Amino acid sequence: MKVLLFGATGMVGQGVLRECLRSPSVEQVLAVGRAETGQRHEKLRELSLKDFLDASSESSLDGYDACFFCLGVSSAGMNEEDYRRVTYDLTLSVAQVLARVNPRMTFIYVSGAGTDSTEKGRSMWARVKGRTENALLAMPFRAVYLFRPGIIRPMHGIVSKTRVYRVLYKVLSPLYPVLKAVAPGFVTTTEAVGLAMVATAELGAPKKVLENDDINNLARLYSQRQASIRAGLTST
């Protein structure tokens, strides 16, 4: 399986990249973003976002089986127009290129818990995310899946690029066991999101919109499946 990964330097993207590079099901990853990942791996290639959106690069995009779109920004301090430009306009410009070049691929978009599919609620970020989700679902890909994680615990040395999130995660870190115990449906990890994305691209998922519990369940089942394969108990 060949994968396009957008936003590989963000917290979620780092977790997804880690699981892609570790997975025997993923043979190649093309990481697309504003900055380089700083990683070196035989599976990994990199491309700047500016070059990706150049029409001359389109011929090299065919043949990818899935796109993991983890690129995004916090809405804190942003007005709706600016947030929409980054969240909706950029996402759709990328998706339109991919749908034209390779409609056979699966497109997986990282949204967020509380996204407003009606596009009419009071929360600005939730409306914009909802509009983005709805537009993606209408595009002619083989399949589109929308991931809506809640609180994401960074693992394996991964950190957020956003300062306020780094502080928040540091404060919450001792509370994760409690949060997981009292509100398991709201907590996931960068590892679980990455595993669930690989699982969905490879095997599909039971529904288009995947909430936190769905993500955790997919990650757990996929980990068990991979362990069985390694043990020689299940065929690929």
Side-chain angles (χ1 to χ4, degrees):
M1 182 166 63
K2 295 173 64 176
V3 170
L4 286 169
L5 172 57
F6 286 79
T9 60
M11 189 184 78
V12 173
Q14 290 177 62
V16 174
L17 177 59
R18 178 181 186 272
E19 300 311 318
C20 285
L21 297 180
R22 286 167 51 86
S23 173
S25 300
V26 178
E27 62 181 273
Q28 185 182 116
V29 181
L30 177 59
V32 185
R34 299 183 182 92
E36 292 188 357
T37 65
Q39 297 195 43
R40 297 292 179 267
H41 194 282
E42 60 184 6
K43 292 184 182 181
L44 179 63
R45 294 173 49 225
E46 302 201 39
L47 184 68
S48 76
L49 185 61
K50 181 179 179 180
D51 290 340
F52 173 87
L53 293 172
D54 188 323
S56 64
S57 69
E58 291 188 5
S59 61
S60 65
L61 300 175
D62 195 11
Y64 285 88
D65 302 289
C67 173
F68 299 158
F69 199 91
C70 308
L71 190 63
V73 296
S74 167
S75 63
M78 297 183 73
N79 60 44
E80 184 162 351
E81 181 181 355
D82 290 340
Y83 185 68
R84 185 179 64 247
R85 186 179 303 114
V86 176
T87 302
Y88 178 86
D89 294 349
L90 177 58
T91 305
L92 267 292
S93 65
V94 168
Q96 286 163 359
V97 170
L98 293 176
R100 181 172 64 250
V101 174
N102 188 7
R104 301 177 303 280
M105 71 165 40
T106 295
F107 193 99
I108 302 177
Y109 175 67
V110 178
S111 187
T115 292
D116 178 15
S117 297
T118 71
E119 307 178 35
K120 298 177 181 179
R122 293 185 177 182
S123 175
M124 179 272 285
W125 77 264
R127 289 195 309 271
V128 175
K129 284 281 192 181
R131 181 185 178 192
T132 307
E133 286 188 352
N134 291 338
L136 290 172
L137 287 171
M139 299 194 74
F141 290 108
R142 182 173 70 87
V144 174
Y145 295 98
L146 310 170
F147 274 44
R148 293 182 176 179
I151 298 172
I152 304 174
R153 179 185 179 186
M155 296 181 66
H156 308 297
I158 291 171
V159 296
S160 173
K161 293 169 63 179
T162 304
R163 183 178 181 276
V164 66
Y165 287 169
R166 290 198 302 271
V167 173
L168 179 63
Y169 293 133
K170 186 174 182 179
V171 171
L172 288 177
S173 182
L175 302 176
Y176 278 124
V178 177
L179 289 171
K180 187 175 181 180
V182 301
F186 292 96
V187 182
T188 188
T189 66
T190 50
E191 178 179 277
V193 174
L195 285 169
M197 279 203 173
V198 174
T200 301
E202 182 181 353
L203 304 171
K207 51 188 177 180
K208 298 297 184 183
V209 179
L210 301 167
E211 304 286 354
N212 216 68
D213 273 344
D214 303 311
I215 293 167
N216 289 337
N217 287 335
L218 278 171
R220 176 178 54 81
L221 292 172
Y222 192 68
S223 292
Q224 293 172 352
R225 181 178 186 272
Q226 293 301 100
S228 296
I229 291 173
R230 287 193 294 271
L233 302 178
T234 303
S235 65
T236 55

